[in-house]
Amino acid sequence: MQLIPRHDPHLVVRSTGGLTVAALRGELDLVLVRHLRPELDALVRESEGLTLDIRRLTFCDATGLGLLAHCAGRAQARGVRWRLICDQPWILRLIRLTALGELLRPEAAVPGDHPALPPLDRPAASPQPSSTTAAIPSRHV
């Protein structure tokens, strides 16, 4: 397994044999999307299979969903195997509400299913919205 060198606290990437696992963390908003789009485009272009692990996101807005849809669409167009690993109910709800489920095909991680990534510590007790609250968690601007 080869670690792709980068000094990015929001993206950790491992590749081996044409298969790539990329883990995102933090707030996937307009600022981070602008930063990550070229990186993710390159991963789609250079990989035979791309697994995007978004379990450590603490926020995702419409531009974040747009980036995920963009990557999935490009992967599909190139014939790249695509996987989106997500276990956060609020993101899964956003995907369902925006009718992106068929394109993104989110799935839960299965232990031993893909190469292990270096530990990415989840921020302390990030609140998860209940089914009666808004789909996007509040954040301070």
Side-chain angles (χ1 to χ4, degrees):
M1 176 123 346
Q2 174 186 3
L3 181 64
I4 297 176
R6 64 174 35 85
H7 301 288
D8 192 330
H10 302 288
L11 178 65
V12 175
V13 179
R14 288 194 180 271
S15 290
T16 185
L19 302 178
T20 301
V21 178
L24 299 178
R25 72 172 175 186
E27 298 181 352
L28 191 55
D29 58 8
L30 179 63
V31 173
L32 190 56
V33 165
R34 286 182 177 167
H35 173 73
L36 290 179
R37 186 173 176 145
E39 296 278 345
L40 294 176
D41 279 346
L43 293 177
V44 170
R45 193 172 47 251
E46 298 167 6
S47 301
E48 295 171 21
L50 177 60
T51 297
L52 195 57
D53 184 342
I54 62 171
R55 292 176 291 172
R56 291 173 180 89
L57 288 181
T58 57
F59 178 83
C60 184
D61 66 9
T63 55
L65 283 177
L67 177 65
L68 299 176
H70 169 78
C71 290
R74 292 207 41 180
Q76 185 178 37
R78 288 197 64 247
V80 172
R81 288 172 288 180
W82 165 262
R83 292 184 64 209
L84 180 67
I85 306 298
C86 179
D87 62 0
Q88 296 193 26
W90 61 273
I91 294 179
L92 295 170
R93 182 169 185 236
L94 286 176
I95 291 170
R96 186 179 70 252
L97 290 172
T98 55
L100 289 172
E102 197 171 309
L103 175 64
L104 295 177
R105 300 186 319 264
E107 57 188 83
V110 177
D113 191 29
H114 57 76
L117 292 172
L120 297 174
D121 295 323
R122 186 181 285 270
S126 65
Q128 296 300 317
S130 69
S131 61
T132 59
T133 62
I136 300 175
S138 62
R139 68 176 194 170
H140 303 286
V141 180

